[in-house]
Amino acid sequence: MTETQPYPVIGIDDTGIQPRLDLRDLQEKPIQFSLFIRALRKILDMTSTDVQDPDYMNKPNSWWQIGAIHGLPYMPWSGDPNGPQTPDPNSPWQGYCYHGSALFPTWHRALMLLVEQAVVREAIKIASDLEAQDPAARKEQWLQVAKELRFPFWDWTKAETADEGIPRIFQEAETKIVNPGGSSVPVQNPLNHYRYAADPGVAQGAGYMGQWKRTYRWVDNGDNPQKEMYDQAAKAFSQGMDLELEGSTIPLKPVHWLRGKVAGLFQYPLTLQDPSYGPNMWGYFSNTNATEDQIYVPVQIALPSIEESHNMVHLDTGGNGTMSLNEYAAFDPIFYLHHCNVDRIYAFWEYVYPAYWIEDGWKNEQGEIVPFHIDANGNFQQDPSTSIGHTYPLVPFRMGDSNYWTSDNTRSLWVTNPTKKFYTYPAIKDPTTGVEVKVDVPYDTADNTVREKFRQALLMEWGSELHSALQTVKNLSVNLHPQHRNLLLNEDQGVQRLRHFVVLGKLPEFAFSGSYRLELFLRPKQSQQTSTSQSTVQVVNSISVLGRANPDNCTACKDRRAAGSHIRGYMPLDPRLILHLLSRLDLTQLPMVTNLDWLTVLIKESFGTRLVKPDGTVLAAADPSVPAQPNETLEEAKAPELTLHSHYINFEYADSESADSESATPTVTFGTPVHHGSLGDKSGWKVF
């Protein structure tokens, strides 16, 4: 059956504004969790009655149709029958999705509205049927519970992610749900995988995925998967470095890097000297290509992107599986719980920074407006390098009036917003100050004092490690020579200032077929370097490139590679790591580190870099201490560019007693950065 009318994305319009919950919290609500699982099973076509329906896969709210919007098999979404029915012939990328684009947050918000609408409406239908049949369901108010359901998020920034990796609920083939009256029954778990309703096609360069009949994560054998290696997925989130300082062990795990990348989003200044440069800030926040687009930076700070932490979770979750390639990723159910968390972070960011918006383009140094563009691959709807702005249609999602959603329509979750989304997120509360950030509650955005309180609460939520690092450096640096202590920490008029180093990277987008990441690792002391191997390195941060399988199958992609298309990344170095570098110097080396220049030399000499596939397979390395096993030199066009920077993090406490308390909450601000030059060079990389 072919759809003839658009499937409007209007949200759950008759149920009020309800919170999207962390999946862990949803599991604590047995009836609501059971309705979510029942509805998701129906959408994934996992019940026997649906399998017998040959038209189900063509319904716009089926998993097959929703998953295919993002990538393969490059077909028109059945919910937009009046839109284009064949991919743009000039676009190498023929999925609808936007990556490396100023539309990345807003387009994916519209996608999440579609998924939420499909699942919750199904849950409401299920609950309505149950109440009609079972008095126990009526007594337990299953229908009301269904109306309060919203699509959950997976909060991968929580500390427990370091212990569990991908949460257990995604790993289990079966899960238990409750029936009216309280009895429970095991069912096939729709969060575990999706079995394709049809052949999604082959992404050249990842042919083994084209042979799969279902989605997988971290498989043991790409050509013939027998099991998913969730122990390896757990390592992706937990295997970093354990610092040994003065008898204490301080874990620096990938989850901590993730939190640092998210916390960096709230280091953006609240105001600009010239507010008309607000769209420039949106350009840097929204995607990883702002540097590539040569967007002028109106402030002197490192500006991370929400897309970078998004990329990292894709690779950590997928390994050599579905989530690691854009072509297939959106068929995996975990994709949407991941993107729901990305949308949650975006919601808090736009709440604090409402003036930073896409508008009609960014402003260059001459004061001219320069349009944003979709990336040079184009997509299903548009030619490469099409100009975009705040009113640009977010194809293929249509509203109730049949017009396409725009970024303006997706903007803001305020209850007063004229375009209702009917969802919110649980408030984030600073446990010390009591300040709560509620993304649906309007406030006077001209009151920078209020905005600063909100920003501080969010910095405490995702950047609490900075305060811990300050206390550690204060306590342990007393054993350092005063000149070394002053390089890391000093006080200025009652404000404690901690120097924070950041490595910024530019990675060639198409250096390899598919996704890859750069890992920054600590080299052993010189006396131990002969034993270094690529399997034993201690990784301290990374930058992920979420790619497509084979850019060589399109002319424009090859042109972008030749032109040097890059993805930017942000790697904050924990200040305790710098303290560790100083602590392992011997007596002959200590006198050499006399100023900031010498400290940066020490930092540059202490780290190596390597490029790896999402499953950890080494592609190339730039570390002279690694045994000479590689057989060729990496092309310079494929080598990353890394630069070292530092700035002061200023901690201002209410009084001197608070400054010595680990439970106190300071006001955190950020100083002007210092550029310390390149970290390594583009020559000397070896291919493995």
Side-chain angles (χ1 to χ4, degrees), residues 501 573 578 581 599-607 644 679:
F501 287 90
L573 301 180
I578 310 304
L581 298 183
L599 180 58
T600 59
V601 170
L602 171 64
I603 292 171
K604 292 178 181 181
E605 292 178 345
S606 298
F607 293 106
L644 181 65
L679 183 70

Side-chain angles (χ1 to χ4, degrees), residues 428-443:
I428 289 178
K429 183 177 181 178
D430 186 326
T432 304
T433 65
V435 172
E436 278 192 304
V437 189
K438 300 178 179 180
V439 294
D440 59 327
V441 177
Y443 71 99

Side-chain angles (χ1 to χ4, degrees), residues 559-577:
D559 289 345
R560 290 192 74 194
R561 174 187 287 181
S565 174
H566 291 80
I567 298 298
R568 66 188 176 92
Y570 170 87
M571 296 188 290
L573 301 180
D574 192 295
R576 294 167 291 193
L577 182 59

Side-chain angles (χ1 to χ4, degrees), residues 382-405:
Q382 288 296 343
D383 282 351
S385 300
T386 299
S387 297
I388 55 177
H390 62 118
T391 60
Y392 188 79
L394 302 179
V395 179
F397 311 114
R398 293 187 186 268
M399 304 179 69
D401 61 3
S402 293
N403 290 318
Y404 285 118
W405 280 80

Side-chain angles (χ1 to χ4, degrees), residues 63 196 293 315 340 420 426 434 521 530 548 650:
W63 203 258
Y196 296 121
D293 293 339
L315 272 60
C340 195
K420 306 298 183 186
F521 62 88
T530 55
R548 294 148 192 166
N650 306 310

Side-chain angles (χ1 to χ4, degrees), residues 344-401:
R344 182 176 73 104
I345 295 167
Y346 165 37
F348 282 101
W349 190 89
E350 70 174 348
Y351 191 73
V352 175
Y353 299 101
Y356 299 162
W357 186 232
I358 184 173
E359 301 296 353
D360 292 315
W362 56 278
K363 187 177 178 182
N364 65 21
E365 291 184 82
Q366 290 73 44
E368 302 165 329
I369 301 300
V370 182
F372 290 104
H373 296 89
I374 66 173
D375 74 31
N377 291 307
N379 66 5
F380 189 96
Q381 167 79 359
Q382 288 296 343
D383 282 351
S385 300
T386 299
S387 297
I388 55 177
H390 62 118
T391 60
Y392 188 79
L394 302 179
V395 179
F397 311 114
R398 293 187 186 268
M399 304 179 69
D401 61 3

Side-chain angles (χ1 to χ4, degrees), residues 256-313:
H256 301 127
W257 316 339
L258 261 177
R259 288 174 55 80
K261 293 175 189 293
V262 173
L265 299 173
F266 297 92
Q267 295 180 22
Y268 281 55
L270 287 181
T271 59
L272 298 175
Q273 187 172 358
D274 183 346
S276 66
Y277 284 101
N280 299 46
M281 307 301 280
W282 172 265
Y284 277 88
F285 162 78
S286 62
N287 72 97
T288 55
N289 270 23
T291 303
E292 192 63 22
D293 293 339
Q294 298 181 335
I295 296 176
Y296 170 64
V297 187
V299 293
Q300 294 185 11
I301 61 170
L303 299 174
S305 161
I306 193 172
E307 190 177 17
E308 187 194 344
S309 53
H310 151 271
N311 291 350
M312 181 176 172
V313 176

Side-chain angles (χ1 to χ4, degrees), residues 83-99:
Q85 296 301 296
T86 57
D88 188 292
N90 298 317
S91 295
W93 174 244
Q94 295 181 337
Y96 286 103
C97 71
Y98 289 90
H99 290 268

